[in-house]
Amino acid sequence: MSDRAATVVVATRRDEARDVVSLELVARDGGRLPDWEPGAHVDVVLPDGSTRQYSLCGDRWDAHRYRIGVLREPDGRGGSAYVHDRLTEGDTVGLGGPRNNFPLVPAERYLFVAGGIGVTPILPMIRTAEQTGAEWHLLYGGRTRASMAFRDELARHGDRVRLVPQDEHGLLDLAGFLGEPRADTRAYACGPPPMLAALADVTARWPAHTVRTERFVATETPPVRDAPFDVELARRGATVTVTPDRTVLQAVADVGVDVLSSCRKGVCGTCETGVLDGDPDHRDSILDDDERDTADSMFICVSRARGDRLVLDL
């Protein structure tokens, strides 16, 4: 993983579906880009200064080119509108990462579920499954057929890909697609919150670690306690108090400790920080239950403390 910002050039831009464009990014000097694995995303720093996260959806074996897919979001913060309306081939953008909160683990069989732009992290997973000889199937839903990106790319896989435009076929039949849990099977899903909530209901009896999801939208959870707490910065030798109206990220910045951050919503993983002592109140949308129980790191843009004190590796 690389956290150093780089400058890359938009080499190609292509319309992939209604309101979806793909961008291929190359190093300005034509050099090699950092290696990545399926499930990884990058931070893209746009010319207007805004930073957005996008899943890498190209060929991980192409060391000189990244591909991302960008959905126009009318109710977003403006980043997708900038990409769609102003970003053109030849423009430069900043690049951070890659980072991977959605890694593909080895399995004999994969069941992939994608909703809308959530298909982007699934594409390199399919390529890896193909290369390793694993059995796989994809259930891919969207509002309309015209809004579903990368359809032509997926068409070559035949009946292993099931396209389900909602206006033609209704909602995804998750129970019918997933069936009963099997020891040789891992399920991966990315899409809008209602789809992931329905998937959680269907797979509630599946064994731990057999279903992995990635969210593009943060899950809102209230803090465990609404009171100030102290954060000791072990390397700095300082202590800061975090009040209910401030995040840990903001509080440590007040004493000159700058932690790299991006989404500030607990979905990108950029601000992950080691926990040396104390009990974090995890409010992110990244960690699974076992990772939360281990409590050796937290995402300080949203997570807080269950007690009066935390000691962080800062």
Side-chain angles (χ1 to χ4, degrees):
M1 179 184 79
S2 173
D3 283 327
R4 181 173 296 175
T7 301
V8 294
V9 178
V10 179
T12 63
R13 171 186 166 124
R14 176 181 173 183
D15 291 329
E16 299 290 353
R18 188 177 62 230
D19 291 333
V20 178
V21 297
S22 67
L23 305 177
E24 288 191 331
L25 309 174
V26 300
R28 189 161 51 180
D29 62 1
R32 184 185 182 99
L33 295 171
D35 293 340
W36 59 282
E37 295 183 352
H41 70 269
V42 289
D43 303 322
V44 176
V45 185
L46 298 170
D48 67 354
S50 61
T51 301
R52 299 293 184 269
Q53 294 74 44
Y54 299 107
S55 295
L56 291 171
C57 61
D59 181 0
R60 61 172 295 219
W61 299 111
D62 184 344
H64 296 86
R65 189 174 298 262
Y66 285 168
R67 183 178 70 166
I68 61 173
V70 182
L71 168 69
R72 180 191 289 276
E73 299 182 82
D75 299 324
R77 294 176 293 155
S80 68
Y82 188 100
V83 171
H84 277 258
D85 297 337
R86 301 176 61 183
L87 202 64
T88 62
E89 293 179 0
D91 286 348
T92 59
V93 296
L95 187 74
R99 301 178 185 84
N100 200 341
N101 305 315
F102 193 42
L104 184 71
V105 300
E108 296 177 17
R109 179 173 178 259
Y110 296 103
L111 295 176
F112 300 117
V113 180
I117 197 63
V119 74
T120 50
I122 302 298
L123 295 175
M125 294 184 179
I126 288 174
R127 182 176 280 111
T128 296
E130 287 275 284
Q131 292 169 340
T132 59
E135 179 187 349
W136 65 270
H137 297 276
L138 167 65
L139 182 65
Y140 177 19
R143 292 186 182 277
T144 66
R145 191 175 297 272
S147 71
M148 298 172 70
F150 306 105
R151 298 190 313 277
D152 294 343
E153 185 173 319
L154 291 166
R156 65 185 181 87
H157 296 298
D159 61 7
R160 282 182 293 180
V161 175
R162 189 182 308 172
L163 297 181
V164 185
Q166 185 175 345
D167 64 337
E168 298 176 25
H169 303 292
L171 298 176
L172 298 178
D173 179 11
L174 295 172
F177 175 72
L178 294 167
E180 293 298 317
R182 287 173 33 176
D184 65 347
T185 299
R186 297 293 181 270
Y188 282 79
C190 185
M195 186 198 86
L196 296 181
L199 180 107
D201 289 340
V202 170
T203 59
R205 296 186 298 104
W206 283 46
H209 309 301
T210 57
V211 180
R212 190 68 188 255
T213 62
E214 181 173 59
R215 298 178 182 274
F216 290 147
V217 178
T219 301
E220 299 288 342
T221 58
V224 169
R225 62 196 298 266
D226 188 17
F229 58 94
D230 290 332
V231 173
E232 180 181 337
L233 311 177
R235 283 185 274 159
R236 175 59 68 92
T239 298
V240 297
T241 298
V242 182
T243 55
D245 62 328
R246 304 277 283 167
T247 66
V248 176
L249 181 67
Q250 292 170 328
V252 301
D254 288 344
V255 295
V257 178
D258 292 324
V259 178
L260 190 65
S261 64
S262 183
C263 73
R264 303 198 173 199
K265 293 184 176 182
V267 296
C268 77
T270 306
C271 67
E272 185 171 13
T273 301
V275 178
L276 303 179
D277 192 26
D279 189 6
D281 172 18
H282 294 292
R283 305 179 65 235
D284 62 272
S285 302
I286 299 171
L287 299 176
D288 62 26
D289 290 342
D290 286 346
E291 291 166 333
R292 290 169 187 258
D293 290 342
T294 302
D296 58 2
S297 69
M298 63 185 287
F299 300 98
I300 62 173
C301 66
V302 291
S303 296
R304 304 184 69 81
R306 290 178 173 270
D308 295 327
R309 176 177 169 273
L310 287 173
V311 181
L312 300 182
D313 187 17
L314 292 173

